[in-house]
Amino acid sequence: METTTCRQCANFFPLPKDADDYEAGKADCVREKEDEKGKYWLSKPIFENSTRCEAFHTKR
Amino acid sequence: MNDIASAKILEYKGKTLNFTPEDPTEAKIPSDELHEHLQKPSTARTKRLKERCRWKHASAGEFIEKNVTAGIERMRYLTEAHKASEGQPEAIRRALGLANVLNKSTLVLQEDEFIVGYHAEDPNMFPLYPELSHMAVQDYLMSDYSPQPADEAAAINAYWKPHSLQSKCQPYFDPADLGRMYQVSSMEAPSFASGYNSIVPPYETVLEDGLLARIKLAEKHIAEAQADMTTFPWNGTKGLDNIAKIDNWKAMVIACKAVISWARRHARLARIVAENFETDPKRQAELLEIADICHRIPAEPCKGLKDAMQAKFFTFLICHAIERYASGYAQKEDTLLWPYYKASVIDKKFQPMDHMGAVELVEMERLKISEHGAGKSRAYREIFPGSNDLFILTVGGTNAKGEDACNDMTDAILEAAKRIRTAEPSIVFRYSKKNRDKTLRWVFECVRDGLGYPSIKHDEIGTEQMKEYAKFSLNGNGATDEEAHNWVNVLCMSPGIHGRRKTQKTRSEGGGSIFPAKLLEISLNDGYDWSYADMQLGPKTGQLASLKTFEDVWEAFRKQYQYAINLCISTKDVSRYFEQRFLQMPFVSAIDDGCMEFGMDANALSEQPNGWHNPITTIVAANSLVAIKKLVFDEKKYTLDQLSQALKANWEGFEEMRVDFKRAPKWGNDDDYADAIITRFYEEIIGGEMRKITNYSGGPVMPTGQAVGLYMEVGSRTGPTPDGRFGGEAADDGGISPYMGTDKKGPTAVLRSVSKVQKNQKGNLLNQRLSVPIMRSKHGFEIWNSYMKTWHDLNIDHVQFNVVSTDEMRAAQREPEKHHDLIVRVSGYSARFVDIPTYGQNTIIARQEQDFSASDLEFLNVEI
């Protein structure tokens, strides 16, 4: 069975090729969070073949 | 409870002055809730941002808001890089460490915000610095604020222990001496153990040049150095210097590239949120504007006010929180932002906006700073009760030509502070008689609204001080007479140069504290601390029986003070030695023109000496000396032995004697007897002995008397003192402030006393509490303005004000949930009153509330 990776996640945003930190397969993982103070977004570098995390949700 | 309209009436120069509120609508506001009616955020957005602000204030060492914790990412990625770079030059290792943190750490973007950037992986977190202080990290590991996973954090901290600044510096000191410093009762602990630090970042180069230009400069220098190394004939006495320079320039390039890339990650984040998460078209457009800004700057020069504010904030995060921790927010903000204000507000050439747009931007900046968490140890959280850290910017004063430096950006900064009402960042106003009335009125508006800032510094004193220090420059490149006008407060009180070079880069240059009250206590006990640590705290300077005259007491104190200040400064200089070898700051170096020119690390290069140390609790010691001289040696009413017995009993059973000592003349009443002794104490010992020391930069070390919250912390560790104070009570709340409640002869008597101390001082904090009804009356501005002119003419260095009523503070103690906007000046910083522990609140209530009598108004030459 194929392992689900970050690439299939809706939070996966591949880096443009002209980005300073561009690497093949590298992307920004951007997640929306909310607490009593309001909404915020977190961005973390990720690679397409990384194993899915608990925040994974499938890209539509 | 009174209302503000019930103020007193005063006969003055044949007129009856009625102190009713200048704004008649205030007449019906109960005096115990005034501050809850004063905020006026300029936009609905800043009102929302304030309501949801993620404050990081601490009280009694505990964070007030829930969910605040230490993050792990900075320490994780710094450590990962350190392990991976073993064997490489240390400056390059530091740059790779910064780059690894910036490349891998999680970015944060919050709803509604326009200025973006954060220094930890979650907006409720703050980073830690195991390379600076493994003890501070250990403190977090043992608390509810521990970074997670805790096992990983503990392993990281263990890794750094042998690599830390503390481990490198400690072997050069006698453990007994260090043991005395760690008591934090006569001396602050050495900075190599605490990690506490401060800096004045050269923001100017980032905004004016952009980092791409800095990279080009460094690369040019590398090429020149490499060419020099191949030039015939080789000269080893000079050629080898290129090695360290090349390493430093390479480190600068790595650091600048990493910062540009990090800023552009923010640009991508804003764009992704705009295109994938946000549904409001207006906010979508704003997020795309943020994306554009973060892509261009700090890589390129700033073109408008939004650019400048964002570039400044990114630079702040790197210099104060990511490359290395440093307290403070030192910058000459009105001068720095003026070209961009002009471009956007006046000329409307780029990022056009009106003046209120600039005010909104400053309000947003203030709220960003209010959310900024600092990974300080519990001890350092306790000494700043009610705050998250010290954030202090400077405005006003005079420019390089000696002309008024106030501009419309100055007014925007002050108006925003008045409207949004946050405790931080605090503001320093450099007062000159050349300052325009319009700006002085804004200063007054902030003061009378009870913000506790601007704190006022004497413009000419600061400028002359920069000229004096420049004479000691080791490379002959200290501040010129023109550049001497370019100064800001580095933290609460001490001036230092701002600009493209010559700024202070580390607290080992200036900062740290010494506590005269405790030194006096042990001077009366052969150097032994009987009341707190039960140990020998200083040299043996004589048993009580050997102190036959007042001069014997004086000389015993002098020896204790010499020992302590010598140790304080030598620990800072040893820190400096290792900072430049293992804690290089490649980014700070890259944005300093001097470091760029010479290929030097910012910790190493010192062009403008700025040595200082902070005496705190001086007035308790000084008032005690006055009482000893009067009651023991002049009047011979008591013997030193009797005094010692009374002190060791904490005055219990000696009440009549305590009252006598309490009633002895006190500082701040224009009393010639007290003031002569105290002036000599400041000028001959506190300043005179300190300035005999030469620090790393080649200049003298001068006293900058202040207090922060240490007047409470150290007061609690200081036994009963001969000024009639009980053991454990708070000490004096400023470098030269009268002891709380003892300045009973009015505000002008305080000014006359303070003006007598002129020699051998770098700065001295004066806390004053002024009458609310008088300040809010139609005569308030005239009285305050006259007060400031007199203060200036008396050549006094500093003053800051509380304008808050006892009624309101008592009401806030009863119902704190109704008083979130009540701000008070603690000492050197402001805080929300309800965030301060009760012990601290009571010290502020106990301060003398100064009314103005007719004779005060006459002395001030008030024209009404």
Side-chain angles (χ1 to χ4, degrees), chain A residues 11 13 15-16 19-21 26 28 30-33 35-45, chain B residues 52-54 65-66 73 77 103-104 106-109 111 122-124 264-265 268 272 276-277:
Chain A
N11 298 329
F13 298 94
L15 262 55
D20 303 270
D21 53 342
K26 191 176 181 184
D28 294 316
V30 176
R31 293 164 58 185
E32 182 173 289
K33 307 265 281 185
D35 64 11
E36 61 191 26
K37 297 277 189 180
K39 276 187 194 172
Y40 58 97
W41 293 267
L42 303 177
S43 172
K44 177 113 182 112
Chain B
R52 74 114 185 94
C53 185
R54 298 172 191 269
E65 299 229 340
K66 60 179 185 180
E73 284 196 355
Y77 298 130
N103 291 339
K104 293 184 178 173
T106 302
L107 304 185
V108 177
L109 172 71
E111 198 171 20
D122 185 278
N124 296 314
R264 288 178 174 169
R265 285 182 59 207
R268 289 206 303 266
I272 289 167
N276 298 275
F277 296 89

Side-chain angles (χ1 to χ4, degrees), chain B residues 185-186 513-520 557 614-624 681-682 686 705-716 718 721 723 725 729-737 739:
Chain B
S185 60
S186 61
S513 307
I514 183 167
F515 309 117
K518 190 69 179 182
L519 292 173
L520 180 80
F557 180 89
N614 305 124
I616 294 176
T617 70
T618 304
I619 285 299
V620 165
N623 280 338
S624 295
F681 186 58
Y682 272 92
I686 299 297
Q706 50 120 330
V708 290
L710 276 162
Y711 76 94
M712 308 174 217
E713 184 91 355
V714 172
S716 72
T718 304
T721 39
D723 56 348
R725 177 185 149 278
E729 284 186 341
D732 48 291
D733 55 57
I736 204 157
S737 300
Y739 189 73

Side-chain angles (χ1 to χ4, degrees), chain A residues 1-59:
Chain A
M1 189 177 143
E2 191 183 342
T3 309
T4 313
T5 65
C6 289
R7 187 188 177 90
Q8 293 144 288
C9 178
N11 298 329
F12 182 86
F13 298 94
L15 262 55
K17 287 196 171 169
D18 61 352
D20 303 270
D21 53 342
Y22 176 79
E23 290 178 53
K26 191 176 181 184
D28 294 316
C29 166
V30 176
R31 293 164 58 185
E32 182 173 289
K33 307 265 281 185
E34 186 165 11
D35 64 11
E36 61 191 26
K37 297 277 189 180
K39 276 187 194 172
Y40 58 97
W41 293 267
L42 303 177
S43 172
K44 177 113 182 112
I46 198 81
F47 285 88
E48 61 184 7
N49 293 327
S50 303
T51 310
R52 57 175 282 182
C53 70
E54 77 284 355
F56 179 90
H57 65 275
T58 310
K59 208 177 278 188

Side-chain angles (χ1 to χ4, degrees), chain B residues 242-464:
Chain B
N242 285 311
I243 293 174
K245 292 180 180 187
I246 289 169
D247 288 344
N248 281 321
W249 283 316
K250 282 183 177 174
M252 294 180 201
V253 172
I254 293 167
C256 286
K257 285 184 176 175
V259 172
I260 292 170
S261 174
W262 174 72
R264 288 178 174 169
R265 285 182 59 207
H266 286 84
R268 289 206 303 266
L269 171 58
R271 184 173 296 279
I272 289 167
V273 173
E275 293 172 350
N276 298 275
F277 296 89
E278 184 59 58
T279 54
D280 174 8
K282 194 176 163 196
R283 178 63 176 164
Q284 281 177 333
E286 191 170 74
L287 285 164
L288 293 176
E289 187 181 12
I290 292 169
D292 169 66
I293 291 169
C294 294
H295 189 79
R296 281 188 295 103
I297 63 89
E300 299 171 20
C302 297
K303 294 194 280 188
L305 192 57
K306 292 175 180 174
D307 282 2
M309 196 61 95
Q310 183 63 62
K312 190 161 74 68
F313 195 73
F314 278 148
T315 306
F316 162 76
L317 287 175
I318 302 294
C319 297
H320 283 263
I322 300 179
E323 184 168 62
R324 182 182 174 180
Y325 163 74
S327 185
Y329 197 50
Q331 56 190 284
K332 185 68 171 43
E333 188 171 41
D334 51 349
T335 302
L336 182 64
L337 294 182
W338 170 244
Y340 310 102
Y341 177 96
K342 186 169 179 296
S344 294
V345 178
I346 298 173
D347 301 337
K348 302 201 186 296
K349 284 182 181 168
F350 197 77
Q351 295 167 341
M353 65 177 80
D354 59 14
H355 179 78
M356 289 312 294
V359 171
E360 186 196 27
L361 211 46
V362 177
E363 288 177 20
M364 290 192 286
E365 176 199 22
R366 297 188 64 80
L367 291 162
K368 281 294 277 188
I369 293 297
S370 298
E371 292 193 321
H372 187 83
K376 296 180 300 186
S377 67
R378 183 185 179 88
Y380 279 80
R381 298 198 300 274
E382 286 180 351
I383 64 175
F384 303 113
S387 85
N388 39 353
D389 208 355
L390 291 180
F391 303 104
I392 300 156
L393 61 88
T394 301
V395 298
T398 51
N399 61 23
K401 295 177 183 169
E403 300 161 343
D404 181 16
C406 296
N407 55 48
D408 289 352
M409 190 68 222
T410 321
D411 297 351
I413 291 164
L414 294 167
E415 180 173 352
K418 174 181 159 69
R419 283 178 172 276
I420 201 71
R421 284 186 73 81
T422 56
E424 55 270 318
S426 184
I427 298 173
V428 173
F429 184 78
R430 286 171 41 188
Y431 181 94
S432 161
K433 283 192 167 175
K434 296 174 182 172
N435 295 142
R436 62 190 195 179
D437 289 344
K438 182 182 170 193
T439 299
L440 287 176
R441 179 74 203 194
W442 278 117
V443 173
F444 171 71
E445 293 277 337
C446 291
V447 166
R448 84 162 173 186
D449 274 11
L451 296 175
Y453 58 82
S455 149
I456 319 269
K457 288 280 283 186
H458 195 296
D459 189 63
E460 290 98 306
I461 291 177
T463 302
E464 290 306 310

Side-chain angles (χ1 to χ4, degrees), chain B residues 211-268:
Chain B
L211 297 183
L212 288 171
R214 306 303 290 180
I215 292 169
K216 273 191 179 173
L217 262 179
E219 287 174 339
K220 178 171 164 279
H221 285 306
I222 292 169
E224 287 168 352
Q226 286 172 334
D228 184 61
M229 291 183 79
T230 61
T231 303
F232 180 84
W234 167 256
N235 180 348
T237 66
K238 291 183 180 171
L240 290 175
D241 293 347
N242 285 311
I243 293 174
K245 292 180 180 187
I246 289 169
D247 288 344
N248 281 321
W249 283 316
K250 282 183 177 174
M252 294 180 201
V253 172
I254 293 167
C256 286
K257 285 184 176 175
V259 172
I260 292 170
S261 174
W262 174 72
R264 288 178 174 169
R265 285 182 59 207
H266 286 84
R268 289 206 303 266

Side-chain angles (χ1 to χ4, degrees), chain B residues 624-695:
Chain B
S624 295
L625 284 166
V626 171
I628 290 170
K629 184 166 192 309
K630 183 175 172 59
L631 294 167
V632 177
F633 294 105
D634 289 359
E635 297 178 1
K636 302 188 190 314
K637 187 168 183 182
Y638 302 100
T639 65
L640 267 189
D641 193 49
Q642 285 174 309
L643 174 61
S644 178
Q645 285 179 41
L647 293 176
K648 286 184 176 166
N650 198 19
W651 301 104
E652 201 174 326
F654 297 86
E655 182 56 18
E656 188 182 330
M657 188 175 171
R658 190 188 75 82
V659 171
D660 276 346
F661 278 83
K662 186 84 182 167
R663 286 181 180 161
K666 295 287 185 283
W667 178 246
N669 295 292
D670 194 25
D671 180 291
D672 287 341
Y673 182 89
D675 292 359
I677 297 166
I678 292 172
T679 300
R680 182 186 165 209
F681 186 58
Y682 272 92
E683 295 185 343
E684 181 185 311
I685 296 193
I686 299 297
E689 294 299 329
M690 193 185 288
R691 77 163 299 156
K692 291 176 182 171
I693 291 172
T694 302
N695 81 345

